[in-house]
Structure formats: structure tokens, C-alpha cells
Amino acid sequence: MNKEPIGKLISLIHRQNQKTLSRQLVTYGIGSGGQHSFLKLIMGRPGITQEQLTNELKFDKATTTRAVKLLEQSGYIERKVDPDDRRSYLLYPTSKAMDFAPILQGILNGLNRKLSRHLTDEEETQLISLLKRISQEDE
């Protein structure tokens, strides 16, 4: 029996989800490249460093630098020199970001509902559990 490649299916779902997300976020000045992921983490952990963002979100340093620069230019975050390490910056959400937080969460919740609309609650829970297990395999 030929099974559908899991990676291919995950990649397809991810691309479709990212297209929808990008269309919904463009009106707020947030682009692709995972900017929303960076913003969410900065809002949840004010004062986080770029290095911590890179490590936690598992993006490369160049992607993190680009996303931080664009979020700063769009007025969603501000960078402050780390008093303990003058070469490092601490990242903080602006009031614009905090005002946007419930909108972003609503968009993300809507996408999640769309992804799981054909699943029962039990199936959704099982899928999340299985995907978490798969994602930990590479760590």
C-alpha cells in the first residue's frame, strides 16, 4: 500500500495556511516570513533578545533579523540596548502591538478553526498530540 508522504501533506497545509494568513495580515502591515510568530512571542515575553527569538522559534538568525527590522519599521516593536550586554538588544511590544494583539489572536483562532473544521474534538486533540511527537523527533 502506498501511503501519502506525511511531510508533503504537512508542507501543503502549511503553505495554504500561510497564504491565507498573509492575505489577512497585509492590511495591518505585517508580512510573511513568520513575522506574526515573532510578534506573538515578543508580546508574550517583553524584553526577549533576538537570539532567544531565533532559538525558540527555530528560525535562522538572518530571518529573525529581517522580521525584527520589519516589525520595528511597522511600529509594532521597539529595540532597546541590553544593559547587561551592549551588543544585544531587548525587544518590546509597542502600544500598537498590544492594541493589535486581540485582532491577531482572532485571526489565528479563525485559521485554526478552519484547519480543524472537519475533525471531532477528539481527532483534533489526537492530531495535535501526534504532530507534537513528530516535531520533537528532530530536536
Side-chain angles (χ1 to χ4, degrees):
M1 172 169 102
N2 287 343
K3 293 183 180 179
E4 193 76 33
I6 294 169
K8 178 182 172 187
L9 291 171
I10 291 172
S11 179
L12 175 65
I13 292 165
H14 175 71
R15 285 193 312 274
Q16 290 171 336
N17 202 51
Q18 289 304 304
K19 280 184 194 178
T20 302
L21 184 59
S22 291
R23 278 193 305 269
Q24 292 182 20
L25 292 178
V26 72
T27 57
Y28 299 99
I30 298 194
S32 58
Q35 284 183 39
H36 70 284
S37 297
F38 290 101
L39 182 57
K40 267 196 69 128
L41 188 51
I42 294 166
M43 287 188 293
R45 299 230 338 255
I48 192 169
T49 66
Q50 282 188 215
E51 185 174 345
Q52 290 169 324
L53 278 176
T54 298
N55 293 336
E56 288 198 32
L57 295 176
K58 305 205 182 322
F59 281 99
D60 58 64
K61 287 182 180 184
T63 300
T64 302
T65 300
R66 229 178 354 265
V68 165
K69 181 180 177 183
L70 291 169
L71 287 169
E72 185 177 29
Q73 288 172 347
S74 297
Y76 286 104
I77 65 167
E78 58 184 358
R79 296 183 318 153
K80 296 180 181 178
V81 175
D82 184 344
D84 297 328
D85 180 359
R86 310 278 297 146
R87 298 167 296 156
S88 183
Y89 288 95
L90 304 177
L91 307 172
Y92 294 92
T94 62
S95 59
K96 179 180 180 178
M98 299 313 286
D99 290 343
F100 177 63
I103 296 167
L104 175 59
Q105 194 58 56
I107 290 169
L108 296 174
N109 290 345
L111 285 172
N112 204 48
R113 280 191 303 276
K114 182 181 175 191
L115 284 171
S116 61
R117 70 188 178 276
H118 299 298
L119 303 176
T120 65
D121 287 344
E122 295 80 23
E123 289 171 332
E124 182 180 1
T125 299
Q126 183 180 20
L127 177 61
I128 290 168
S129 175
L130 292 170
L131 289 172
K132 281 182 176 180
R133 193 167 17 157
I134 290 170
S135 72
Q136 291 170 354
E137 291 290 321
D138 292 338
E139 292 182 2

